Each structure stands twice: as structure tokens, then as C-alpha cells.
Amino acid sequence: MSAELYDVIIIGGGPAGLATAYLCHKYGLSYLVLESGKAPFQGIANTYPQGKLVYASKPKDAPEPFLVDELRPPDKPVTVESYLQYVQHFVQHENLHIRTEVAFENIQDERDFLSITTDKGRFKARKVVLAFGSSIPRELSVYGDAKMVAKNVDDPTKYVGVKTLVIGGGNTAADVVIAILKSKRECNDTQPVYWAHKSEKFDVNKETAQRLGEEILLGGNIRLLPGATPRIGEVDDEGVDRLVIRINEFKQADGIDLYHALSFPMQNVIACIGSQGPVPIFDKLGVQTISCTAGVCRVAKEGDRLVLLSAEFESTRKGVYVVGGAISPSYMKISEGSIQEEKHPNLIYTAINDAYHVVEAIRNKLGK
């Protein structure tokens, strides 16, 4: 465990996380941002199409201005690449404390602090701010452990020279396949890319299909695996973490079924199987949520589970706050003894302003 006790540990380096970090930095709170991606704003980089414009959107009925003007998008829309470049410069200029490629796992209560468990060790903090957004990559549901499987590709050249498996049947998976095929082709690598999907039909748009076809015509080596299912995460005799994917199954009358399977080192596997909301993480952390019922919720859908927060964005887990996209499109607000749904658009504006109010609350509680 890290020896340093931080005032605040921030989980996620998006708009809410960076705004929280900047304000902690500004007001003298010790802090650390733990980001799962390779850089701040990785979630926006992964989800915004190239060239998409970023707007300084603000709800018409919102009474507050942008409360952290330093992270406010320009009034004149700019491309996501330009905004990300500005954010990178801002982080460097302010020397914000961020650790990247750290996967958050859990929070434990200790006597005088909270212990944050990650794949890179444990950290200590008086307060924790959950700022991981809403587009959380789904985990592979297999027997065993599949934590080493990548969720996206930052550098396709790392797969040159090895047989690679991409799982998922949509446009995101197709884009990954195209990028790796191109890198392999440019390096004269004949090792194939296997593309697996649990359904018999891959579902990509016309433009993506055209780009994939062009790459194949130029020499891209691809092996399609429709109807394939990841089954087991295991460690082989040489200590290599591997993923076993079943590609054919033959039911037998005697109950002893036959199947064909392939086994890949997990470091050569990318799973693009969509995203999920934060509810599974809230359940794991013991953060209370409430199911919407008819007549109670007007923004969320009936049956949706909304996180329960105080007016200061503190959850039912003492010392744990939730901000940004993780509480959109609405949450349940505790106010003066009552609980009611609070609208919360998934905008840079709301994420930044959440951070401002949370840091103010933490400063008051810590007396700083």
C-alpha cells in the first residue's frame, strides 16, 4: 500500500476528474487521479468520432455558469482532437498529479481512511471521488479470469507478428480489426487477425464495411469466426494467461458434447463488446441505488436504477462522492429528509460543475 495518505483520490481522468484534480491543486488539497486509459480524457478520445465538434453546451434552465472556466470548451466549436490537445497542455502546465493505466477495483473502509484497491497496488485517502463516466467497457463473462484482455487499441503495431483475436460484432470491433490489419500489412506480417462474434452475423455500417473490404483487398489477412463464444480464462503450463474461445459445438445424444476451440494469449486479445453503466460498480462498492417506478421518475425509465446522493454528491458510502456521467441522465437526491429524482444531463458543463461543488464540500469537511 502507498504510504502517502491523500486528502482525495479521484477515479477517472475525464472532465469531472480533471476539474476535481485542478480544484484540489488550486486549494492545497493533496490528491491523485487514477485513470484506466493511457491519457486523460481517454473516454472522450475513445467514444468521439474523429473530427466531431465539441460544444460548450449548457442546459437552458441551468442557473450557474461554468464554474471551472479553465476546462470550459471554446464558445466556437472545435474538433475533439483540438480540445484534447488543449486538455493535455493544461494538465502539463498545471502539473496535475495523474497516474494512467491504473485499473480501479474496490474501496475498503479502514479506521481513519479509505483504502483504494487497483491493479497497481493500494492507495489511501480521506475522501474518494468516483468520476469514471458512464461508458464503462463490459467485461468478458468467462469461467476464470480475463482481466488481461484489452478493451481498445491505442497502438495497433503492438500486435504485429502475433496471431490476434478481436471479439465483438459492431463498428468498434471492425475499426480495431482494420487498424491491426493495416499495421500488419505495412510490416509484411502474414499472421492473421481472427474476428469473433457470438452471433452468426456481424453488424457494421456501410462505410465501415467498405473500409474493411478495401483493407482485405490490399492484402489484409483476416479469419472470421461467426457464432464463436469466449468460454475460459486460464493459465497454461508456461504461466501464460490464455483465453479459450469455442468456435463450433456438436451436441451428442449420449450427453458428451464435442466442440472446436482456439486458445489465444490474453495479451493478444481485444474485446470490443460494448459498454455498461456504473450500476455493477455501485453494487460492488456498496453504494445504494433506487429502482425507478411509475410516477416517481420523469427522466429515467421505469426499472432503471439511480444512485442515491446527498446535495453535495456524497453517496450512501461515507466519504465516497460520485460526479459526472456516472450519475446521468438523473440521480436520486436526498434533500431535507425527502428523496426525489434530479435531472443531470451528461455534459462537460455538468461534470465540471459537479467537481466544483464536491471540492467545496470536501474542503469544508476537512477544514481546508
Side-chain angles (χ1 to χ4, degrees):
M1 183 184 292
S2 170
E4 183 172 358
L5 174 61
Y6 295 94
D7 290 323
V8 186
I9 289 284
I10 303 153
I11 311 299
L18 286 196
T20 303
Y22 171 66
L23 293 169
C24 287
H25 179 75
K26 181 178 179 180
Y27 293 115
L29 297 172
S30 61
Y31 70 93
L32 181 65
V33 178
L34 302 178
E35 163 60 42
S36 61
K38 286 196 171 184
F41 274 44
Q42 190 70 60
I44 288 180
N46 291 343
T47 56
Y48 273 52
Q50 186 175 2
K52 181 178 174 64
L53 296 180
V54 178
Y55 294 83
S57 302
K58 178 176 176 290
K60 292 181 180 179
D61 57 349
E64 297 176 327
F66 274 84
L67 297 176
V68 186
D69 203 54
E70 292 84 351
L71 286 170
R72 182 179 186 271
D75 289 327
K76 183 179 179 180
V78 296
T79 64
V80 64
E81 291 81 10
S82 296
Y83 185 53
L84 291 176
Q85 187 176 39
Y86 166 76
V87 169
Q88 296 292 345
H89 289 160
F90 174 75
V91 169
Q92 293 173 7
H93 181 266
E94 297 296 333
N95 194 26
L96 298 183
H97 302 150
I98 302 174
R99 286 193 60 173
T100 56
E101 298 185 273
V102 178
F104 165 71
E105 295 175 356
N106 211 336
I107 300 173
Q108 286 85 36
D109 291 304
E110 303 292 347
R111 182 174 180 179
D112 298 314
F113 60 89
L114 296 168
S115 175
I116 298 88
T117 307
T118 76
D119 67 340
K120 299 295 191 298
R122 298 172 70 187
F123 301 85
K124 300 186 295 184
R126 295 183 174 88
K127 307 291 182 183
V128 175
V129 177
L130 303 179
F132 41 61
S134 60
S135 298
I136 301 166
R138 292 185 184 277
E139 299 289 340
L140 278 177
S141 297
V142 298
Y143 177 79
D145 190 357
K147 287 183 179 179
M148 289 185 65
V149 171
K151 307 299 190 302
N152 53 60
V153 171
D154 295 313
D155 180 12
T157 62
K158 67 183 285 188
Y159 299 98
V160 171
V162 297
K163 293 182 176 69
T164 307
L165 174 65
V166 178
I167 303 172
N171 291 318
T172 301
D175 285 337
V176 168
V177 169
I178 292 167
I180 297 174
L181 284 175
K182 182 179 179 182
S183 292
K184 285 176 171 288
R185 177 175 55 80
E186 291 175 345
C187 295
N188 296 315
D189 174 23
T190 59
Q191 296 283 7
V193 174
Y194 292 82
W195 186 12
H197 185 35
K198 64 181 181 181
S199 299
E200 294 293 332
K201 182 181 178 182
F202 293 83
D203 185 17
V204 299
N205 61 35
K206 184 177 179 181
E207 179 187 5
T208 303
Q210 183 177 350
R211 289 191 294 111
L212 179 62
E214 291 173 353
E215 190 55 50
I216 293 172
L217 287 174
L218 290 171
N221 189 355
I222 184 172
R223 311 283 176 85
L224 296 178
L225 301 175
T229 309
R231 302 296 294 184
I232 301 171
E234 61 182 8
V235 180
D236 66 17
D237 293 340
E238 297 179 357
V240 177
D241 292 279
R242 304 185 73 89
L243 180 74
V244 177
I245 185 164
R246 187 175 297 180
I247 56 175
N248 285 308
E249 188 171 1
F250 306 94
K251 296 289 185 180
Q252 306 294 308
D254 60 5
I256 302 177
D257 298 338
L258 304 176
Y259 64 85
H260 294 152
L262 296 173
S263 174
F264 292 83
M266 286 191 197
Q267 63 182 6
N268 301 344
V269 179
I270 307 100
C272 305
I273 54 176
S275 59
Q276 63 183 4
V279 169
I281 298 178
F282 292 151
D283 288 343
K284 182 177 181 179
L285 299 179
V287 170
Q288 187 177 350
T289 59
I290 297 178
S291 295
C292 284
T293 57
V296 174
C297 294
R298 299 189 179 186
V299 179
K301 298 176 182 177
E302 185 174 352
D304 285 352
R305 290 170 59 193
L306 304 183
V307 65
L308 186 64
L309 301 175
S310 71
E312 297 174 334
F313 296 96
E314 187 173 15
S315 72
T316 53
R317 184 85 183 266
K318 187 177 180 181
V320 177
Y321 298 78
V322 191
V323 294
I327 58 177
S328 298
S330 63
Y331 64 95
M332 288 297 187
K333 181 179 179 180
I334 307 171
S335 181
E336 298 179 355
S338 65
I339 300 174
Q340 62 182 13
E341 185 187 24
E342 184 79 7
K343 184 178 179 182
H344 189 273
N346 191 4
L347 300 171
I348 293 174
Y349 165 84
T350 43
I352 286 174
N353 284 18
D354 291 352
Y356 177 87
H357 293 297
V358 163
V359 173
E360 285 296 296
I362 291 175
R363 288 178 65 202
N364 288 334
K365 290 187 177 181
L366 297 182
K368 296 190 176 184

